[in-house]
Amino acid sequence: MDAKLVNPFVDALKTVLPQMGFPEPERKAIGVKAKTASSLGVSVIVGFTKSIRGNVVYNMSEDTAKFIASTMMMGMPVDEFNDMAQSAISEMSNMLTANAATNLAGMGFEVDISTPSMTIGENFQIKISDDQYLTVGMDIGGHELEIDIAVSTQ
Amino acid sequence: MEKVKVMIVDDSRVSATMLQDILSKTNFEVCAVARTAAEALELYKRNRPAVVTMDMNLPDANGIVCSAKIHEEDPKANIVMISAMKDASLITQGREAGISAFLQKPVSTNELLDTLMLLTQERVGKLALLRDSYVKSFMRAMQDSLKDLAGLASTAQIEVSNSNYIEVDGVSVILGLTGKPMGRAVVYMDMDMARRFTAAMLHSELADISEEEANDSVEEASNIIVGRGVSIINDIFKDREMRITPPGTICGQHIRIVNMKLTSFTVTARTEAGTVYMNIGFAEEK
């Protein structure tokens, strides 16, 4: 797993989020983990394929999801993680991954991305790799967004 | 032919029964009957009908207010007002609330059916196309794979999924679809079935199958099923270039996978070992 593959995703976050009115995201922890990630409550998986194949997961708590949705909707209060808020998170995941795809193309990796799949629940596990995946913790105005990236070797 | 879901909003049992009788002989299916505006909104969210028939006088609000609320929830909602009175001011206000057609009581069978057909035609046409061109290929791939991988014969059916999410317990494998149309497939089953399915694939005793082994085997099988489905489609339509992204496997209880802006279908395959489900969702064409 090549650690430089984290950059297109982190850069996407730093480009896209401030345009939507978020404070500048800060990169916190970065690491390599094996096989399975634990969901924080709301996890959006976006797959990609073509010259490299893999998955990215945007993993966050429901509180963080509500904060992000509220900021995206111009500060409208979001008390419940309802359809509209879910739609905002899904849209953000799509925008971030599309932007990352452009960054990957700049590194010589052309990819097509799938539609986002949002999964909601308590205590579930997500496996995106048979081997290892990269994980980055981002801080957005005091809220944590975890990004897990796996590139398949086959 | 797929049944088209209709929700009736009417506080009079006589009127509601009359409409139900007319629709019972057709391809329309009454999925819910609401007696109040509050109930209508709740049942709309739960059932996502293709079309709603709306009475003007409800105990807690009028039909225009109720239609506006449904329209707020789903801007694409198809609503037909069926009222005793029909005048220009009602039609103007109704249009603003998102009502597409106006009929007068008592409504004739032909008039009602023609109106419902006209309103749902686009959706029915699109669903039929997706089902016949794509979902059937995935169903064939699933049945063939269950047979080849685990020796399991199955009976399968396709249903349009009208809910905003699928609720899953056990193992779910998500595979993105790129190309045209874009979307995603989710193959899922409960943990008991995952272990029985794995035992059949590995020719092993059920007791020897660990949960992790079951997850890995279901993931591999799902990858094969959806991959085969995509191959069948690419063989038929030479210009689609559909591809699948690698699997993401979710494991846990009471999990919701949200069908965000997807038109989705659930394929259910029943085998002697248990049931395997596959939800195929397609994004709106842009």
PDB file of all heavy atoms in Angstrom, chain B residues 6-34:
ATOM      1  N   VAL B   6     -50.158   2.647  -5.643  1.00  0.00           N
ATOM      2  CA  VAL B   6     -51.012   3.814  -5.498  1.00  0.00           C
ATOM      3  C   VAL B   6     -51.356   3.982  -4.017  1.00  0.00           C
ATOM      4  O   VAL B   6     -51.628   2.996  -3.332  1.00  0.00           O
ATOM      5  CB  VAL B   6     -52.340   3.621  -6.274  1.00  0.00           C
ATOM      6  CG1 VAL B   6     -53.216   4.865  -6.167  1.00  0.00           C
ATOM      7  CG2 VAL B   6     -52.070   3.287  -7.728  1.00  0.00           C
ATOM      8  N   MET B   7     -51.309   5.202  -3.536  1.00  0.00           N
ATOM      9  CA  MET B   7     -51.784   5.466  -2.179  1.00  0.00           C
ATOM     10  C   MET B   7     -53.066   6.292  -2.276  1.00  0.00           C
ATOM     11  O   MET B   7     -53.123   7.264  -3.028  1.00  0.00           O
ATOM     12  CB  MET B   7     -50.734   6.238  -1.379  1.00  0.00           C
ATOM     13  CG  MET B   7     -51.208   6.607   0.008  1.00  0.00           C
ATOM     14  SD  MET B   7     -49.859   7.240   1.035  1.00  0.00           S
ATOM     15  CE  MET B   7     -50.091   8.986   0.813  1.00  0.00           C
ATOM     16  N   ILE B   8     -54.085   5.878  -1.523  1.00  0.00           N
ATOM     17  CA  ILE B   8     -55.348   6.611  -1.511  1.00  0.00           C
ATOM     18  C   ILE B   8     -55.414   7.454  -0.239  1.00  0.00           C
ATOM     19  O   ILE B   8     -55.176   6.941   0.852  1.00  0.00           O
ATOM     20  CB  ILE B   8     -56.543   5.621  -1.540  1.00  0.00           C
ATOM     21  CG1 ILE B   8     -56.513   4.795  -2.840  1.00  0.00           C
ATOM     22  CG2 ILE B   8     -57.865   6.355  -1.377  1.00  0.00           C
ATOM     23  CD1 ILE B   8     -57.529   3.669  -2.880  1.00  0.00           C
ATOM     24  N   VAL B   9     -55.694   8.755  -0.393  1.00  0.00           N
ATOM     25  CA  VAL B   9     -55.908   9.607   0.777  1.00  0.00           C
ATOM     26  C   VAL B   9     -57.372  10.035   0.752  1.00  0.00           C
ATOM     27  O   VAL B   9     -57.786  10.801  -0.131  1.00  0.00           O
ATOM     28  CB  VAL B   9     -54.997  10.847   0.758  1.00  0.00           C
ATOM     29  CG1 VAL B   9     -55.163  11.647   2.055  1.00  0.00           C
ATOM     30  CG2 VAL B   9     -53.544  10.454   0.570  1.00  0.00           C
ATOM     31  N   ASP B  10     -58.166   9.502   1.664  1.00  0.00           N
ATOM     32  CA  ASP B  10     -59.599   9.795   1.698  1.00  0.00           C
ATOM     33  C   ASP B  10     -60.135   9.389   3.059  1.00  0.00           C
ATOM     34  O   ASP B  10     -59.871   8.278   3.507  1.00  0.00           O
ATOM     35  CB  ASP B  10     -60.316   9.018   0.581  1.00  0.00           C
ATOM     36  CG  ASP B  10     -61.625   9.695   0.190  1.00  0.00           C
ATOM     37  OD1 ASP B  10     -62.379  10.090   1.114  1.00  0.00           O
ATOM     38  OD2 ASP B  10     -61.877   9.829  -1.019  1.00  0.00           O
ATOM     39  N   ASP B  11     -60.861  10.300   3.729  1.00  0.00           N
ATOM     40  CA  ASP B  11     -61.364   9.934   5.052  1.00  0.00           C
ATOM     41  C   ASP B  11     -62.678   9.167   4.962  1.00  0.00           C
ATOM     42  O   ASP B  11     -63.142   8.614   5.939  1.00  0.00           O
ATOM     43  CB  ASP B  11     -61.513  11.173   5.955  1.00  0.00           C
ATOM     44  CG  ASP B  11     -62.554  12.132   5.412  1.00  0.00           C
ATOM     45  OD1 ASP B  11     -62.803  12.100   4.187  1.00  0.00           O
ATOM     46  OD2 ASP B  11     -63.113  12.909   6.201  1.00  0.00           O
ATOM     47  N   SER B  12     -63.264   9.117   3.760  1.00  0.00           N
ATOM     48  CA  SER B  12     -64.514   8.374   3.611  1.00  0.00           C
ATOM     49  C   SER B  12     -64.215   6.941   3.189  1.00  0.00           C
ATOM     50  O   SER B  12     -63.552   6.697   2.176  1.00  0.00           O
ATOM     51  CB  SER B  12     -65.402   9.065   2.575  1.00  0.00           C
ATOM     52  OG  SER B  12     -66.074   8.101   1.792  1.00  0.00           O
ATOM     53  N   ARG B  13     -64.726   6.000   3.962  1.00  0.00           N
ATOM     54  CA  ARG B  13     -64.460   4.599   3.630  1.00  0.00           C
ATOM     55  C   ARG B  13     -65.148   4.203   2.337  1.00  0.00           C
ATOM     56  O   ARG B  13     -64.648   3.366   1.589  1.00  0.00           O
ATOM     57  CB  ARG B  13     -64.936   3.690   4.764  1.00  0.00           C
ATOM     58  CG  ARG B  13     -63.989   3.741   5.952  1.00  0.00           C
ATOM     59  CD  ARG B  13     -64.363   2.745   7.015  1.00  0.00           C
ATOM     60  NE  ARG B  13     -64.183   1.368   6.565  1.00  0.00           N
ATOM     61  CZ  ARG B  13     -64.362   0.322   7.377  1.00  0.00           C
ATOM     62  NH1 ARG B  13     -64.699   0.505   8.617  1.00  0.00           N
ATOM     63  NH2 ARG B  13     -64.185  -0.899   6.906  1.00  0.00           N
ATOM     64  N   VAL B  14     -66.311   4.821   2.060  1.00  0.00           N
ATOM     65  CA  VAL B  14     -67.044   4.485   0.831  1.00  0.00           C
ATOM     66  C   VAL B  14     -66.202   4.866  -0.395  1.00  0.00           C
ATOM     67  O   VAL B  14     -65.989   4.049  -1.297  1.00  0.00           O
ATOM     68  CB  VAL B  14     -68.405   5.223   0.800  1.00  0.00           C
ATOM     69  CG1 VAL B  14     -69.100   4.993  -0.529  1.00  0.00           C
ATOM     70  CG2 VAL B  14     -69.280   4.761   1.956  1.00  0.00           C
ATOM     71  N   SER B  15     -65.690   6.104  -0.385  1.00  0.00           N
ATOM     72  CA  SER B  15     -64.894   6.554  -1.537  1.00  0.00           C
ATOM     73  C   SER B  15     -63.627   5.722  -1.683  1.00  0.00           C
ATOM     74  O   SER B  15     -63.263   5.326  -2.800  1.00  0.00           O
ATOM     75  CB  SER B  15     -64.496   8.015  -1.369  1.00  0.00           C
ATOM     76  OG  SER B  15     -65.645   8.817  -1.374  1.00  0.00           O
ATOM     77  N   ALA B  16     -62.956   5.450  -0.567  1.00  0.00           N
ATOM     78  CA  ALA B  16     -61.704   4.693  -0.624  1.00  0.00           C
ATOM     79  C   ALA B  16     -61.954   3.284  -1.166  1.00  0.00           C
ATOM     80  O   ALA B  16     -61.197   2.774  -1.996  1.00  0.00           O
ATOM     81  CB  ALA B  16     -61.061   4.637   0.756  1.00  0.00           C
ATOM     82  N   THR B  17     -63.050   2.668  -0.701  1.00  0.00           N
ATOM     83  CA  THR B  17     -63.364   1.306  -1.150  1.00  0.00           C
ATOM     84  C   THR B  17     -63.684   1.302  -2.641  1.00  0.00           C
ATOM     85  O   THR B  17     -63.280   0.396  -3.376  1.00  0.00           O
ATOM     86  CB  THR B  17     -64.570   0.749  -0.354  1.00  0.00           C
ATOM     87  OG1 THR B  17     -64.302   0.908   1.024  1.00  0.00           O
ATOM     88  CG2 THR B  17     -64.811  -0.718  -0.663  1.00  0.00           C
ATOM     89  N   MET B  18     -64.394   2.352  -3.097  1.00  0.00           N
ATOM     90  CA  MET B  18     -64.743   2.432  -4.514  1.00  0.00           C
ATOM     91  C   MET B  18     -63.467   2.470  -5.370  1.00  0.00           C
ATOM     92  O   MET B  18     -63.353   1.759  -6.364  1.00  0.00           O
ATOM     93  CB  MET B  18     -65.564   3.696  -4.753  1.00  0.00           C
ATOM     94  CG  MET B  18     -66.872   3.439  -5.449  1.00  0.00           C
ATOM     95  SD  MET B  18     -67.891   4.917  -5.396  1.00  0.00           S
ATOM     96  CE  MET B  18     -66.992   6.046  -6.445  1.00  0.00           C
ATOM     97  N   LEU B  19     -62.536   3.309  -4.955  1.00  0.00           N
ATOM     98  CA  LEU B  19     -61.268   3.411  -5.700  1.00  0.00           C
ATOM     99  C   LEU B  19     -60.513   2.075  -5.658  1.00  0.00           C
ATOM    100  O   LEU B  19     -59.986   1.616  -6.666  1.00  0.00           O
ATOM    101  CB  LEU B  19     -60.390   4.517  -5.102  1.00  0.00           C
ATOM    102  CG  LEU B  19     -60.881   5.950  -5.316  1.00  0.00           C
ATOM    103  CD1 LEU B  19     -60.028   6.929  -4.525  1.00  0.00           C
ATOM    104  CD2 LEU B  19     -60.838   6.309  -6.802  1.00  0.00           C
ATOM    105  N   GLN B  20     -60.494   1.459  -4.485  1.00  0.00           N
ATOM    106  CA  GLN B  20     -59.798   0.172  -4.355  1.00  0.00           C
ATOM    107  C   GLN B  20     -60.400  -0.873  -5.284  1.00  0.00           C
ATOM    108  O   GLN B  20     -59.674  -1.642  -5.901  1.00  0.00           O
ATOM    109  CB  GLN B  20     -59.878  -0.328  -2.907  1.00  0.00           C
ATOM    110  CG  GLN B  20     -58.752   0.233  -2.054  1.00  0.00           C
ATOM    111  CD  GLN B  20     -58.862  -0.194  -0.604  1.00  0.00           C
ATOM    112  OE1 GLN B  20     -59.889   0.028   0.033  1.00  0.00           O
ATOM    113  NE2 GLN B  20     -57.811  -0.798  -0.093  1.00  0.00           N
ATOM    114  N   ASP B  21     -61.746  -0.870  -5.376  1.00  0.00           N
ATOM    115  CA  ASP B  21     -62.423  -1.842  -6.253  1.00  0.00           C
ATOM    116  C   ASP B  21     -62.013  -1.632  -7.706  1.00  0.00           C
ATOM    117  O   ASP B  21     -61.735  -2.590  -8.421  1.00  0.00           O
ATOM    118  CB  ASP B  21     -63.947  -1.707  -6.124  1.00  0.00           C
ATOM    119  CG  ASP B  21     -64.450  -2.349  -4.838  1.00  0.00           C
ATOM    120  OD1 ASP B  21     -63.650  -3.073  -4.196  1.00  0.00           O
ATOM    121  OD2 ASP B  21     -65.612  -2.113  -4.473  1.00  0.00           O
ATOM    122  N   ILE B  22     -61.982  -0.374  -8.127  1.00  0.00           N
ATOM    123  CA  ILE B  22     -61.607  -0.085  -9.522  1.00  0.00           C
ATOM    124  C   ILE B  22     -60.178  -0.582  -9.785  1.00  0.00           C
ATOM    125  O   ILE B  22     -59.905  -1.257 -10.770  1.00  0.00           O
ATOM    126  CB  ILE B  22     -61.679   1.434  -9.822  1.00  0.00           C
ATOM    127  CG1 ILE B  22     -63.122   1.930  -9.714  1.00  0.00           C
ATOM    128  CG2 ILE B  22     -61.114   1.728 -11.214  1.00  0.00           C
ATOM    129  CD1 ILE B  22     -63.275   3.435  -9.943  1.00  0.00           C
ATOM    130  N   LEU B  23     -59.274  -0.265  -8.838  1.00  0.00           N
ATOM    131  CA  LEU B  23     -57.851  -0.553  -9.075  1.00  0.00           C
ATOM    132  C   LEU B  23     -57.522  -2.030  -8.918  1.00  0.00           C
ATOM    133  O   LEU B  23     -56.528  -2.507  -9.477  1.00  0.00           O
ATOM    134  CB  LEU B  23     -56.986   0.294  -8.142  1.00  0.00           C
ATOM    135  CG  LEU B  23     -57.097   1.803  -8.379  1.00  0.00           C
ATOM    136  CD1 LEU B  23     -56.276   2.567  -7.349  1.00  0.00           C
ATOM    137  CD2 LEU B  23     -56.630   2.170  -9.785  1.00  0.00           C
ATOM    138  N   SER B  24     -58.365  -2.767  -8.173  1.00  0.00           N
ATOM    139  CA  SER B  24     -58.038  -4.169  -7.898  1.00  0.00           C
ATOM    140  C   SER B  24     -57.972  -5.016  -9.170  1.00  0.00           C
ATOM    141  O   SER B  24     -57.323  -6.049  -9.190  1.00  0.00           O
ATOM    142  CB  SER B  24     -59.058  -4.762  -6.929  1.00  0.00           C
ATOM    143  OG  SER B  24     -60.311  -4.834  -7.572  1.00  0.00           O
ATOM    144  N   LYS B  25     -58.646  -4.572 -10.230  1.00  0.00           N
ATOM    145  CA  LYS B  25     -58.652  -5.376 -11.461  1.00  0.00           C
ATOM    146  C   LYS B  25     -57.553  -4.925 -12.424  1.00  0.00           C
ATOM    147  O   LYS B  25     -57.529  -5.341 -13.576  1.00  0.00           O
ATOM    148  CB  LYS B  25     -60.018  -5.249 -12.153  1.00  0.00           C
ATOM    149  CG  LYS B  25     -61.167  -5.692 -11.283  1.00  0.00           C
ATOM    150  CD  LYS B  25     -62.491  -5.451 -12.005  1.00  0.00           C
ATOM    151  CE  LYS B  25     -63.677  -5.475 -11.051  1.00  0.00           C
ATOM    152  NZ  LYS B  25     -63.910  -4.169 -10.390  1.00  0.00           N
ATOM    153  N   THR B  26     -56.667  -4.061 -11.981  1.00  0.00           N
ATOM    154  CA  THR B  26     -55.688  -3.477 -12.901  1.00  0.00           C
ATOM    155  C   THR B  26     -54.265  -3.788 -12.463  1.00  0.00           C
ATOM    156  O   THR B  26     -54.047  -4.512 -11.499  1.00  0.00           O
ATOM    157  CB  THR B  26     -55.826  -1.939 -12.914  1.00  0.00           C
ATOM    158  OG1 THR B  26     -55.404  -1.460 -11.639  1.00  0.00           O
ATOM    159  CG2 THR B  26     -57.255  -1.514 -13.176  1.00  0.00           C
ATOM    160  N   ASN B  27     -53.325  -3.185 -13.151  1.00  0.00           N
ATOM    161  CA  ASN B  27     -51.920  -3.331 -12.808  1.00  0.00           C
ATOM    162  C   ASN B  27     -51.504  -2.399 -11.673  1.00  0.00           C
ATOM    163  O   ASN B  27     -50.379  -2.417 -11.224  1.00  0.00           O
ATOM    164  CB  ASN B  27     -51.082  -3.057 -14.065  1.00  0.00           C
ATOM    165  CG  ASN B  27     -49.665  -3.501 -13.880  1.00  0.00           C
ATOM    166  OD1 ASN B  27     -49.428  -4.593 -13.378  1.00  0.00           O
ATOM    167  ND2 ASN B  27     -48.728  -2.654 -14.235  1.00  0.00           N
ATOM    168  N   PHE B  28     -52.449  -1.572 -11.214  1.00  0.00           N
ATOM    169  CA  PHE B  28     -52.161  -0.714 -10.068  1.00  0.00           C
ATOM    170  C   PHE B  28     -52.470  -1.474  -8.781  1.00  0.00           C
ATOM    171  O   PHE B  28     -53.390  -2.284  -8.743  1.00  0.00           O
ATOM    172  CB  PHE B  28     -53.005   0.568 -10.132  1.00  0.00           C
ATOM    173  CG  PHE B  28     -52.630   1.462 -11.264  1.00  0.00           C
ATOM    174  CD1 PHE B  28     -53.358   1.455 -12.445  1.00  0.00           C
ATOM    175  CD2 PHE B  28     -51.531   2.299 -11.155  1.00  0.00           C
ATOM    176  CE1 PHE B  28     -52.999   2.272 -13.510  1.00  0.00           C
ATOM    177  CE2 PHE B  28     -51.166   3.124 -12.209  1.00  0.00           C
ATOM    178  CZ  PHE B  28     -51.900   3.105 -13.395  1.00  0.00           C
ATOM    179  N   GLU B  29     -51.687  -1.188  -7.770  1.00  0.00           N
ATOM    180  CA  GLU B  29     -51.869  -1.880  -6.495  1.00  0.00           C
ATOM    181  C   GLU B  29     -51.975  -0.828  -5.403  1.00  0.00           C
ATOM    182  O   GLU B  29     -51.120   0.044  -5.298  1.00  0.00           O
ATOM    183  CB  GLU B  29     -50.634  -2.745  -6.268  1.00  0.00           C
ATOM    184  CG  GLU B  29     -50.601  -3.453  -4.953  1.00  0.00           C
ATOM    185  CD  GLU B  29     -49.291  -4.193  -4.766  1.00  0.00           C
ATOM    186  OE1 GLU B  29     -48.222  -3.608  -5.043  1.00  0.00           O
ATOM    187  OE2 GLU B  29     -49.347  -5.361  -4.340  1.00  0.00           O
ATOM    188  N   VAL B  30     -53.047  -0.908  -4.597  1.00  0.00           N
ATOM    189  CA  VAL B  30     -53.190   0.062  -3.507  1.00  0.00           C
ATOM    190  C   VAL B  30     -52.259  -0.363  -2.374  1.00  0.00           C
ATOM    191  O   VAL B  30     -52.444  -1.411  -1.763  1.00  0.00           O
ATOM    192  CB  VAL B  30     -54.653   0.140  -3.023  1.00  0.00           C
ATOM    193  CG1 VAL B  30     -54.770   1.097  -1.848  1.00  0.00           C
ATOM    194  CG2 VAL B  30     -55.561   0.571  -4.172  1.00  0.00           C
ATOM    195  N   CYS B  31     -51.226   0.429  -2.128  1.00  0.00           N
ATOM    196  CA  CYS B  31     -50.238   0.044  -1.110  1.00  0.00           C
ATOM    197  C   CYS B  31     -50.579   0.649   0.243  1.00  0.00           C
ATOM    198  O   CYS B  31     -50.090   0.182   1.262  1.00  0.00           O
ATOM    199  CB  CYS B  31     -48.837   0.456  -1.544  1.00  0.00           C
ATOM    200  SG  CYS B  31     -48.611   2.233  -1.687  1.00  0.00           S
ATOM    201  N   ALA B  32     -51.408   1.700   0.269  1.00  0.00           N
ATOM    202  CA  ALA B  32     -51.757   2.313   1.547  1.00  0.00           C
ATOM    203  C   ALA B  32     -53.017   3.153   1.384  1.00  0.00           C
ATOM    204  O   ALA B  32     -53.280   3.704   0.314  1.00  0.00           O
ATOM    205  CB  ALA B  32     -50.615   3.206   2.022  1.00  0.00           C
ATOM    206  N   VAL B  33     -53.804   3.223   2.451  1.00  0.00           N
ATOM    207  CA  VAL B  33     -54.960   4.111   2.494  1.00  0.00           C
ATOM    208  C   VAL B  33     -54.799   5.000   3.727  1.00  0.00           C
ATOM    209  O   VAL B  33     -54.664   4.495   4.839  1.00  0.00           O
ATOM    210  CB  VAL B  33     -56.288   3.324   2.589  1.00  0.00           C
ATOM    211  CG1 VAL B  33     -57.478   4.269   2.636  1.00  0.00           C
ATOM    212  CG2 VAL B  33     -56.431   2.360   1.414  1.00  0.00           C
ATOM    213  N   ALA B  34     -54.762   6.325   3.514  1.00  0.00           N
ATOM    214  CA  ALA B  34     -54.600   7.253   4.631  1.00  0.00           C
ATOM    215  C   ALA B  34     -55.914   7.974   4.855  1.00  0.00           C
ATOM    216  O   ALA B  34     -56.594   8.357   3.896  1.00  0.00           O
ATOM    217  CB  ALA B  34     -53.488   8.246   4.329  1.00  0.00           C
TER     218      ALA B  34
END
